[in-house]
Amino acid sequence: MTRDSAATSVNTVLAELFAAAAHGCRDRSPLTQRLLTDAAADLVQGGVVARIMAGSERDREGTVPGLRFAGAVHRLVLEGLAPGLAKHYPSVGGQPHLPTLWEDALPALKEHADLLRHRVTATVVQTNEPGRSAPLYGGLLVAAQEAAKAAGRHVPFCVRLLEVGASGGLNLRPHHVGYRLDDRVLGDPDSLLVLDPEWTGRPPADLDHRLRVVGRAGCDLHPVDVSTEDGRLHLSSFVWADQLDRWNRLRDALDLAATDPVKVDRSAGPEWLAKQLARVERDVLTVVWHSVVWQYVSPADRAMGRAVLADAAAKATPTTPLALLVYEPRREIDYKFALMLKLWPAGISLSLGVGEGHGIPFTWNVTPWE
């Protein structure tokens, strides 16, 4: 095989990943779908996208190279570096015109190819979606109340929240968010971030009990400092620009974070979790939480994380209970995202319901977690 044919072959594989990412945007972000579809065709032809993606040709599917490319392009627009393309981006006041999108994108891609290549290769996708706080809040209510029942308590446990893969930590303050439900607002009705969770059904918990969070911490291999303009831009760039509801949620979540800072530690999950779980708090439910993280974790780290959790679970007592609460995709339910809960030492294992990747909408439906 010649060098040119080898390059064509790897670009074709990469183009297939771009096409898969475009398919994932179908019916949800026409702008991103069209950008990635045209970028995939450009890759096969060895165009400017091949130059931008140089060094990423053999990336695995879980690193979502197409979304990294789309995020890098969006950031150009947010920074005012692609005025000809900005007219298509609602996040800066534009209106998409899909037939001319690629034509208007090409000048910006060519002018900033080196900057885009650096960003694509040096960054990871960080969709710190605050909408996931809605199923998280409901799941924490269930966990705190079920742990209390198992321990023979009449009052739900206070919660210590530990998030693995926390990104910028935007979901580490679920008790400071408002959740609009029927004729009332759960959580904090005066919050800067008030969500419409679009729940079908309700969590199996007493919603009149207010969630009490007495500790929270998070880790990430590539934490985002949301107190900086760079961090805010980084998270913003991965929101699909024509999904203004998500865009507005992120703006509000970033404003809330500025009033209630939570540091996210730079660390691999297993090592960090082992240190956190070594400290046991009496009369507090420790909840390990992660959402849309599993695909980015290596098999070795997954095994180590399970071992750390199993060790802590074996030491849990009715007065020092432990929970695992996760929101991850499940292939067996057509790639919907399932909210799943395990409680120790109660031995409770439940799937609480399913929703979209961004947490909204969500359907509560309790079944055994098998």
Side-chain angles (χ1 to χ4, degrees):
M1 180 181 294
T2 67
R3 181 177 299 177
D4 287 345
S5 60
T8 300
S9 177
V10 294
N11 282 338
T12 298
V13 173
L14 188 58
E16 291 172 355
L17 295 182
F18 269 56
H23 180 74
C25 303
R26 185 186 56 179
D27 302 327
R28 294 185 291 168
S29 176
L31 174 67
T32 309
Q33 181 185 24
R34 185 58 177 264
L35 178 71
L36 292 179
T37 298
D38 289 341
D42 188 83
L43 261 171
V44 173
Q45 297 166 6
V48 65
V49 181
R51 177 183 166 193
I52 292 168
M53 299 305 297
S56 301
E57 299 93 342
R58 300 185 186 277
D59 284 4
R60 61 185 177 86
E61 181 180 4
T63 67
V64 281
L67 296 186
R68 292 185 352 246
F69 169 82
V73 174
H74 190 191
R75 178 154 180 169
L76 283 185
V77 172
L78 295 175
E79 293 174 322
L81 297 177
L85 184 57
K87 63 186 178 184
H88 296 279
Y89 277 67
S91 55
V92 291
Q95 180 66 41
H97 183 249
L98 301 184
T100 59
L101 174 65
W102 189 249
E103 176 186 339
D104 290 330
L106 276 174
L109 299 183
K110 292 175 180 177
E111 180 182 356
H112 300 289
D114 292 339
L115 175 60
L116 289 168
R117 181 175 62 201
H118 169 72
R119 287 179 174 171
V120 164
T121 56
T123 62
V124 297
V125 172
Q126 293 278 19
T127 50
N128 196 188
E129 175 53 57
R132 294 175 194 146
S133 281
L136 168 62
Y137 181 83
L140 289 174
L141 287 176
V142 174
Q145 294 176 34
E146 289 297 324
K149 290 178 187 176
R153 294 165 53 111
H154 298 293
V155 178
F157 275 95
C158 300
V159 168
R160 175 188 176 210
L161 184 60
L162 305 177
E163 183 174 12
V164 178
S167 186
L170 297 185
N171 288 314
L172 276 169
R173 47 187 68 81
H175 54 313
H176 290 323
V177 176
Y179 307 92
R180 192 175 293 110
L181 193 65
D182 300 328
D183 58 349
R184 58 176 170 165
V185 178
L186 305 180
D188 183 356
D190 298 319
S191 175
L192 293 171
L193 174 62
V194 178
L195 301 175
D196 180 356
E198 297 182 34
W199 284 350
T200 298
R202 296 292 181 265
D206 184 349
L207 300 182
D208 290 328
H209 278 289
R210 188 161 181 174
L211 177 68
R212 293 184 60 202
V213 178
V214 295
R216 58 247 169 94
C219 77
D220 199 284
L221 283 173
H222 308 280
V224 180
D225 185 352
V226 296
S227 70
T228 68
E229 181 64 15
D230 180 72
R232 293 168 70 96
L233 276 170
H234 185 65
L235 288 184
S236 300
S237 70
F238 289 111
V239 175
W240 294 332
D242 49 353
Q243 290 193 324
L244 290 181
D245 53 345
R246 288 181 62 210
W247 179 261
N248 291 330
R249 283 202 298 263
L250 180 63
R251 297 292 93 193
D252 291 344
L254 289 169
D255 290 342
L256 175 60
T259 70
D260 179 35
V262 182
K263 183 178 182 295
V264 178
D265 297 323
R266 184 180 298 275
S267 175
E271 293 86 348
W272 179 84
L273 195 58
K275 292 178 182 178
Q276 294 291 327
L277 294 178
R279 179 168 60 87
V280 178
E281 295 189 24
R282 187 177 177 83
D283 295 323
V284 171
L285 171 64
T286 296
V287 180
V288 177
W289 154 256
H290 61 78
S291 65
V292 199
V293 167
W294 216 227
Q295 72 188 62
Y296 302 108
V297 180
S298 71
D301 276 356
R302 291 185 190 186
M304 289 175 60
R306 289 191 184 102
V308 168
L309 195 63
D311 181 66
K315 300 173 183 175
T317 72
T319 57
T320 59
L322 175 67
L324 172 67
L325 185 63
V326 304
Y327 191 63
E328 297 287 350
R330 299 294 295 271
R331 294 185 180 184
E332 62 268 29
I333 51 175
D334 195 27
Y335 289 93
K336 289 286 186 179
F337 291 73
L339 182 69
M340 297 169 287
L341 171 68
K342 287 184 182 288
L343 276 170
W344 298 278
I348 294 172
S349 186
L350 299 172
S351 175
L352 297 176
V354 296
E356 298 298 323
H358 304 134
I360 297 173
F362 185 86
T363 298
W364 294 94
N365 180 31
V366 180
T367 59
W369 178 5
E370 299 175 352

